[in-house]
Amino acid sequence: MSNVTGIGVSVKRKEDKRFLMGRGNYTDDIARPGMTHGYILRSPHAHAKINAIDTTEAEKAPGVVAIFTGKDMAADGVGSVPCGWLITQKDGSPMNEPAHPPLVVDRVRHVGDQVALIVAESLAQAKDAAELIEIDYEEMPATVGVASAATGPLVHDEVAGNLCYDWEIGDAAAVAEAFSKAHHITKIDVTNNRLIPNAMEPRAYIGEFDKGTGEYTLYTTSQNPHVIRLLMGAFVLNIPEHKLRVVAPDVGGGFGSKIFHYAEEAIVTWAAPKVGRPIKWTAERSESFMSDAHGRDHVSHAELALAEDGTFLGFKVETTANMGAYLSTFATSVPTYLYATLLAGVYKTPAIHCNVKSYFTNTVPVDAYRGAGRPEATYLIERIVDKAAREMGLDRVEIRRKNFIPIDAFPYQTPVALQYDSGNYFATLDRAEDMADVAGFPARKAEAAKRGKLRGLGYSTYVEACGIAPSAVVGSLGARAGLFESAVVRVHPTGGVTIFTGSHSHGQGHETTFAQLVSETLGIPLENVEISHGDTNKVPFGMGTYGSRSLAVGGEALMKAMNKVVEKARKIAAHVLETAVEDVDFKDGVFTVAGTDKAMPFAQVALTAYVPHNFPHDQLEPGLEEQAFYDPMNFTYPGGCHICEVEVDPDTGVTQVVGMTAVDDVGNVVNPMIVHGQIHGGLAQGIGQALLEECVYDESGQIVTGSYMDYAMPRADAFPSFKVDNCVTECTHNSLGVKGCGEVGAIGSPPSVINAVLDALLDVGVTDISMPATPAKVWAAIQGAKTAQAAE
Amino acid sequence: MYAFEYHRPGSVADAGALLKANEDAKIIAGGMTMIPTLKQRLAMPGELVDLRDCADLKGITVSGGTVTIGAMTKHDTVASSAEVKGAIPALAGLAGNIGDPAVRNRGTLGGSIANNDPAADYPSACLALGATIVTTNREIAAEDFFTGLFETALEEGEIITAVRFPVPEKAAYKKFDQPASRYALVGVFVAKTAGGVRVGVTGAGQDGVFRQTDMEAALSANFAPEAIDGVMVSPDRLNVDIHGDAAYRANLIKVMAKRAVADCA
């Protein structure tokens, strides 16, 4: 067993050595022979007509290789950047899906919209030339906020009322019936603040064309290179997939923002053969702010109907969601199937209805960001549950326990489509209360009061749906892609193993976690395993990494392929050991024959597979390499409890998080250290959303928070030492019993923080605060409550 | 960044000569504002005169109740200086809380006050301590030096050589960080000097750093935090942005001032 570093071991990450030593290979590190540099000239206006673009002077500038505009791409028959998920409206009609040209032709629709590509020998020369391009803009009034989008200026002339779709889920009649019987109705209005993703590595692309073979190559900072190849090749540039290679090398963080097919990918790939040389484009940070798809941006009104004892009877929700100027790849699914289907939360609410209206605005497209829809659902539910408890004079923990889905009710069918396979919300709540020392809170609050601080405790009990997902289910809901995963296990003659996975690591640690699965299953040392991902010419068609799916879907595909390898190896061992296949056991990396001392280590079987001197070739193929595709039966359903403790300084409004406990049930855990690291990162983003981060536009559509000078990213000193633990109920439909851990931190934590802030402010009369709860906002709320109390 | 000619003179005299010879020349000190401005193509100087090698612009001396700090002295040098910590610990503390370690090891006192960013820390100390700005041409009282947003009394070709800070009886600086940039949303420097109490406020004012004279009067009568309770801080002429309105900044001026006075005890 000493060889094995298997499931449950917190081994340090294999990939970190090269990252920490600066030896990673990111897209911007790549220099191709003859490479040119691209600069994208972007719109300074939120909304404007382009009367003319004059590139004459710019083309004469030193070092300029070529300049392209939207007219060049349109003339070449370049298609629209596609949306990957069709939403059917409640009247049965398809959503409105206006064109999204990679370079605009005659109108810009958000600050940062792509207007021209300048290709030059150096980036500085491309920028110099860009300043010589004369554009005759005719500014138009802009639609900015989602709340007023329905009546704002039209972003797309053909889309009336800027409406992308009007969609619903659930049983409105059952909800009306429930509300008619309610003892109490709690109402709430919440905004889920718009976020800017801020991956550490900005987006970067290199487009290249091989004149000899006619093959295109795109190097890209993508979370899912095969999806990019499919979308860009088939829908935008009409390049057959066998002539298009997409490589996503080391990628420095994505958080969802690198799932999507971006216009710049198509622009550099399309332009590469025109200039006959590779073209590199790398986003500057300020460009990322105005061109990476943003996250969240919902406004919701919700009402919860309760019986006298606090039992939830019905829940109805009206949500307005911002799509931005164009539909990003999965934008439409986020406020619908990734959000409204989670509105049951961890509760057995029998009747739920949700209506979602999505609108176009003159802002950067909005799409999935860590959690994607599920943080929005969790925030809404956990805020209204706290508010209901307060209004009815019930204990906020008891009202949760009373309404939790019972342990024996799984599999549990919610009224909003999903069927949760497993969970135990009581266990995670109990463990979190214990770790957070809830019992000691009153004493801590009293001690804080002596220092003039308001101390509060906030809960969030949540469930999410990840491990996305069954292709059949998402297909029936409008997804234009499958959501399986692939794996190839290549056993080399001397026993080393290379795994080719369709998952893509951009910080998650797959090279370690997947290698642990291999070590455990094949009984070989971790260092004998290499994980290869991210190159469509090496890896079978895979769907990539997002939605906490790598282990639950990609890991399961790997297990399936390894099982095939073991079965093949067993046949080889049986042949060599001259026994029946059924008599061969495989354990700890050694094949043995029951009842004998015959044994054959895995590496020896591997060698025999490639040196098949006496194989019965009619029964046994040489080689030891297997491939598998895995399509899950269901989503996976991690859940848990987050408890946040804060101290508010009433003089300044500053909220300090002084305690953060997260107990998450992510199913079985392969590498606890990596899982806890993922949860830490998610908590940082969740607390960031709750207290610090917000993308702010002014009325004209300019981004006020266009840099780190105004967009508040969380720093380490914003956090206490997190207390993290896991309770396990196994996923019932995958062999590993795993669920997914990448997003739980960002999904569960924001309402725990805001509920803690409101708990702290209860005594001073504040009953509502919106995210982010900035010092200025908290202080103003306290002053407002004082004024209101003085008036009474 | 546009192309420019780069000069690195070895003395302030040589720097002055370069400025005189090149009308288009700009000074670069630590570059903490200049470099981002250049990178964003917001400035296009034909010549850049880097003062980093001017040894005569560096160093700290304390004598006769005055701390003199060379204009090219880095924040980190001030923050870790035993002389400054001994004479005006509040000034060392202020320097040690500017930006982050990278900024403190590049940014300079002279660069900070010459730029006169309305949210910079040093200008409040200059005003509250009654500092004298020494230049190649003359000596300027801090009162007269900071003339408006990013504006100073400096003339073309004039280079700050040092700042003289009189040692106060007591002083303290309290900064409320803007949540994103961590510049001062409001910073208040309180100094009790032989000539009375002076209160310098940065971050808050629409015209940049200013003295809060009502607080000075109240504190001169009673140097205690509660003396500030009765002072009305008007929100007029205070900054408004997404991080705080004028009423919030007015509140922070009082809160930070009280905390600074408490720190003086």
Side-chain angles (χ1 to χ4, degrees), chain A residues 106-129:
Chain A
D106 55 11
R107 188 155 149 193
V108 289
R109 291 183 169 84
H110 67 85
V111 168
D113 213 347
Q114 298 83 218
V115 177
L117 170 70
I118 300 94
V119 183
E121 299 293 343
S122 75
L123 182 58
Q125 287 172 326
K127 285 185 178 183
D128 287 344

mmCIF file of all heavy atoms in Angstrom, chain A residues 106-129:
data_model
loop_
_atom_site.group_PDB
_atom_site.id
_atom_site.type_symbol
_atom_site.label_atom_id
_atom_site.label_comp_id
_atom_site.label_asym_id
_atom_site.label_seq_id
_atom_site.Cartn_x
_atom_site.Cartn_y
_atom_site.Cartn_z
ATOM 1 N N ASP A 106 -21.989 48.732 -37.225
ATOM 2 C CA ASP A 106 -22.393 50.140 -37.304
ATOM 3 C C ASP A 106 -22.950 50.680 -36.000
ATOM 4 O O ASP A 106 -23.528 51.753 -35.971
ATOM 5 C CB ASP A 106 -23.403 50.339 -38.431
ATOM 6 C CG ASP A 106 -24.602 49.414 -38.274
ATOM 7 O OD1 ASP A 106 -24.738 48.792 -37.193
ATOM 8 O OD2 ASP A 106 -25.382 49.297 -39.235
ATOM 9 N N ARG A 107 -22.822 49.907 -34.921
ATOM 10 C CA ARG A 107 -23.370 50.384 -33.656
ATOM 11 C C ARG A 107 -22.637 49.730 -32.492
ATOM 12 O O ARG A 107 -22.373 48.525 -32.536
ATOM 13 C CB ARG A 107 -24.854 50.028 -33.605
ATOM 14 C CG ARG A 107 -25.602 50.626 -32.446
ATOM 15 C CD ARG A 107 -27.061 50.737 -32.848
ATOM 16 N NE ARG A 107 -27.964 50.597 -31.726
ATOM 17 C CZ ARG A 107 -29.275 50.410 -31.859
ATOM 18 N NH1 ARG A 107 -29.826 50.329 -33.064
ATOM 19 N NH2 ARG A 107 -30.052 50.310 -30.802
ATOM 20 N N VAL A 108 -22.315 50.541 -31.492
ATOM 21 C CA VAL A 108 -21.724 49.985 -30.270
ATOM 22 C C VAL A 108 -22.799 49.959 -29.191
ATOM 23 O O VAL A 108 -23.636 50.853 -29.125
ATOM 24 C CB VAL A 108 -20.497 50.786 -29.794
ATOM 25 C CG1 VAL A 108 -19.323 50.580 -30.735
ATOM 26 C CG2 VAL A 108 -20.819 52.262 -29.629
ATOM 27 N N ARG A 109 -22.745 48.890 -28.365
ATOM 28 C CA ARG A 109 -23.832 48.702 -27.400
ATOM 29 C C ARG A 109 -23.374 48.641 -25.945
ATOM 30 O O ARG A 109 -24.172 48.486 -25.043
ATOM 31 C CB ARG A 109 -24.624 47.452 -27.770
ATOM 32 C CG ARG A 109 -25.422 47.625 -29.053
ATOM 33 C CD ARG A 109 -26.271 46.409 -29.375
ATOM 34 N NE ARG A 109 -27.205 46.681 -30.432
ATOM 35 C CZ ARG A 109 -26.918 46.602 -31.740
ATOM 36 N NH1 ARG A 109 -25.691 46.249 -32.121
ATOM 37 N NH2 ARG A 109 -27.832 46.879 -32.647
ATOM 38 N N HIS A 110 -22.096 48.744 -25.708
ATOM 39 C CA HIS A 110 -21.631 48.912 -24.318
ATOM 40 C C HIS A 110 -20.219 49.481 -24.357
ATOM 41 O O HIS A 110 -19.502 49.327 -25.360
ATOM 42 C CB HIS A 110 -21.683 47.607 -23.524
ATOM 43 C CG HIS A 110 -20.720 46.531 -23.976
ATOM 44 N ND1 HIS A 110 -19.406 46.462 -23.543
ATOM 45 C CD2 HIS A 110 -20.877 45.482 -24.827
ATOM 46 C CE1 HIS A 110 -18.823 45.402 -24.093
ATOM 47 N NE2 HIS A 110 -19.681 44.802 -24.880
ATOM 48 N N VAL A 111 -19.845 50.136 -23.279
ATOM 49 C CA VAL A 111 -18.470 50.603 -23.160
ATOM 50 C C VAL A 111 -17.577 49.370 -23.192
ATOM 51 O O VAL A 111 -17.780 48.438 -22.415
ATOM 52 C CB VAL A 111 -18.267 51.387 -21.837
ATOM 53 C CG1 VAL A 111 -16.788 51.621 -21.574
ATOM 54 C CG2 VAL A 111 -19.032 52.688 -21.876
ATOM 55 N N GLY A 112 -16.629 49.340 -24.134
ATOM 56 C CA GLY A 112 -15.765 48.174 -24.270
ATOM 57 C C GLY A 112 -16.129 47.286 -25.451
ATOM 58 O O GLY A 112 -15.419 46.329 -25.747
ATOM 59 N N ASP A 113 -17.222 47.588 -26.125
ATOM 60 C CA ASP A 113 -17.615 46.824 -27.314
ATOM 61 C C ASP A 113 -16.468 46.886 -28.332
ATOM 62 O O ASP A 113 -15.798 47.907 -28.470
ATOM 63 C CB ASP A 113 -18.896 47.438 -27.910
ATOM 64 C CG ASP A 113 -19.803 46.381 -28.543
ATOM 65 O OD1 ASP A 113 -19.346 45.246 -28.736
ATOM 66 O OD2 ASP A 113 -20.959 46.718 -28.861
ATOM 67 N N GLN A 114 -16.278 45.799 -29.090
ATOM 68 C CA GLN A 114 -15.119 45.701 -29.985
ATOM 69 C C GLN A 114 -15.379 46.425 -31.303
ATOM 70 O O GLN A 114 -16.338 46.093 -31.996
ATOM 71 C CB GLN A 114 -14.773 44.239 -30.279
ATOM 72 C CG GLN A 114 -14.379 43.418 -29.088
ATOM 73 C CD GLN A 114 -15.544 42.872 -28.305
ATOM 74 O OE1 GLN A 114 -15.507 42.817 -27.090
ATOM 75 N NE2 GLN A 114 -16.618 42.480 -28.962
ATOM 76 N N VAL A 115 -14.514 47.371 -31.635
ATOM 77 C CA VAL A 115 -14.721 48.177 -32.839
ATOM 78 C C VAL A 115 -13.727 47.840 -33.944
ATOM 79 O O VAL A 115 -14.092 47.786 -35.110
ATOM 80 C CB VAL A 115 -14.652 49.680 -32.492
ATOM 81 C CG1 VAL A 115 -14.790 50.534 -33.741
ATOM 82 C CG2 VAL A 115 -15.732 50.041 -31.481
ATOM 83 N N ALA A 116 -12.478 47.617 -33.606
ATOM 84 C CA ALA A 116 -11.479 47.320 -34.646
ATOM 85 C C ALA A 116 -10.339 46.514 -34.058
ATOM 86 O O ALA A 116 -10.057 46.597 -32.856
ATOM 87 C CB ALA A 116 -10.941 48.619 -35.248
ATOM 88 N N LEU A 117 -9.706 45.732 -34.921
ATOM 89 C CA LEU A 117 -8.491 45.007 -34.543
ATOM 90 C C LEU A 117 -7.321 45.639 -35.274
ATOM 91 O O LEU A 117 -7.348 45.751 -36.514
ATOM 92 C CB LEU A 117 -8.586 43.529 -34.944
ATOM 93 C CG LEU A 117 -7.260 42.734 -34.817
ATOM 94 C CD1 LEU A 117 -6.864 42.534 -33.353
ATOM 95 C CD2 LEU A 117 -7.370 41.370 -35.514
ATOM 96 N N ILE A 118 -6.316 46.053 -34.523
ATOM 97 C CA ILE A 118 -5.096 46.590 -35.124
ATOM 98 C C ILE A 118 -4.003 45.554 -34.896
ATOM 99 O O ILE A 118 -3.727 45.171 -33.757
ATOM 100 C CB ILE A 118 -4.689 47.934 -34.481
ATOM 101 C CG1 ILE A 118 -5.802 48.961 -34.670
ATOM 102 C CG2 ILE A 118 -3.397 48.454 -35.109
ATOM 103 C CD1 ILE A 118 -6.769 49.060 -33.528
ATOM 104 N N VAL A 119 -3.389 45.098 -35.988
ATOM 105 C CA VAL A 119 -2.320 44.108 -35.899
ATOM 106 C C VAL A 119 -1.011 44.809 -36.252
ATOM 107 O O VAL A 119 -0.921 45.464 -37.298
ATOM 108 C CB VAL A 119 -2.562 42.932 -36.861
ATOM 109 C CG1 VAL A 119 -1.477 41.878 -36.700
ATOM 110 C CG2 VAL A 119 -3.941 42.332 -36.627
ATOM 111 N N ALA A 120 -0.027 44.688 -35.375
ATOM 112 C CA ALA A 120 1.246 45.369 -35.611
ATOM 113 C C ALA A 120 2.406 44.508 -35.136
ATOM 114 O O ALA A 120 2.208 43.470 -34.500
ATOM 115 C CB ALA A 120 1.254 46.728 -34.911
ATOM 116 N N GLU A 121 3.605 44.983 -35.450
ATOM 117 C CA GLU A 121 4.804 44.243 -35.052
ATOM 118 C C GLU A 121 4.983 44.246 -33.538
ATOM 119 O O GLU A 121 5.566 43.331 -32.984
ATOM 120 C CB GLU A 121 6.061 44.854 -35.715
ATOM 121 C CG GLU A 121 6.042 44.822 -37.238
ATOM 122 C CD GLU A 121 6.111 43.407 -37.810
ATOM 123 O OE1 GLU A 121 6.489 42.472 -37.078
ATOM 124 O OE2 GLU A 121 5.767 43.243 -39.002
ATOM 125 N N SER A 122 4.507 45.318 -32.893
ATOM 126 C CA SER A 122 4.571 45.369 -31.430
ATOM 127 C C SER A 122 3.240 45.898 -30.909
ATOM 128 O O SER A 122 2.492 46.567 -31.635
ATOM 129 C CB SER A 122 5.712 46.271 -30.956
ATOM 130 O OG SER A 122 5.348 47.628 -31.127
ATOM 131 N N LEU A 123 2.994 45.631 -29.635
ATOM 132 C CA LEU A 123 1.758 46.108 -29.033
ATOM 133 C C LEU A 123 1.741 47.638 -28.980
ATOM 134 O O LEU A 123 0.713 48.272 -29.217
ATOM 135 C CB LEU A 123 1.614 45.510 -27.623
ATOM 136 C CG LEU A 123 0.343 45.876 -26.867
ATOM 137 C CD1 LEU A 123 -0.897 45.466 -27.639
ATOM 138 C CD2 LEU A 123 0.341 45.221 -25.485
ATOM 139 N N ALA A 124 2.895 48.223 -28.673
ATOM 140 C CA ALA A 124 2.964 49.687 -28.590
ATOM 141 C C ALA A 124 2.623 50.304 -29.940
ATOM 142 O O ALA A 124 1.912 51.314 -30.018
ATOM 143 C CB ALA A 124 4.349 50.126 -28.123
ATOM 144 N N GLN A 125 3.125 49.701 -31.010
ATOM 145 C CA GLN A 125 2.814 50.220 -32.347
ATOM 146 C C GLN A 125 1.330 50.066 -32.673
ATOM 147 O O GLN A 125 0.726 50.938 -33.285
ATOM 148 C CB GLN A 125 3.666 49.502 -33.403
ATOM 149 C CG GLN A 125 5.132 49.938 -33.359
ATOM 150 C CD GLN A 125 6.017 49.099 -34.268
ATOM 151 O OE1 GLN A 125 5.782 47.900 -34.442
ATOM 152 N NE2 GLN A 125 7.038 49.729 -34.849
ATOM 153 N N ALA A 126 0.750 48.949 -32.235
ATOM 154 C CA ALA A 126 -0.680 48.752 -32.475
ATOM 155 C C ALA A 126 -1.491 49.807 -31.732
ATOM 156 O O ALA A 126 -2.471 50.355 -32.255
ATOM 157 C CB ALA A 126 -1.091 47.341 -32.026
ATOM 158 N N LYS A 127 -1.067 50.117 -30.517
ATOM 159 C CA LYS A 127 -1.777 51.139 -29.734
ATOM 160 C C LYS A 127 -1.590 52.527 -30.361
ATOM 161 O O LYS A 127 -2.538 53.324 -30.398
ATOM 162 C CB LYS A 127 -1.251 51.167 -28.297
ATOM 163 C CG LYS A 127 -1.717 50.010 -27.447
ATOM 164 C CD LYS A 127 -1.219 50.246 -26.020
ATOM 165 C CE LYS A 127 -1.680 49.177 -25.091
ATOM 166 N NZ LYS A 127 -1.255 49.462 -23.712
ATOM 167 N N ASP A 128 -0.367 52.802 -30.810
ATOM 168 C CA ASP A 128 -0.129 54.093 -31.463
ATOM 169 C C ASP A 128 -1.057 54.241 -32.671
ATOM 170 O O ASP A 128 -1.663 55.290 -32.889
ATOM 171 C CB ASP A 128 1.334 54.203 -31.933
ATOM 172 C CG ASP A 128 2.299 54.409 -30.777
ATOM 173 O OD1 ASP A 128 1.831 54.775 -29.673
ATOM 174 O OD2 ASP A 128 3.513 54.195 -30.972
ATOM 175 N N ALA A 129 -1.147 53.178 -33.453
ATOM 176 C CA ALA A 129 -1.974 53.229 -34.661
ATOM 177 C C ALA A 129 -3.455 53.387 -34.307
ATOM 178 O O ALA A 129 -4.192 54.106 -34.988
ATOM 179 C CB ALA A 129 -1.763 51.963 -35.488
#
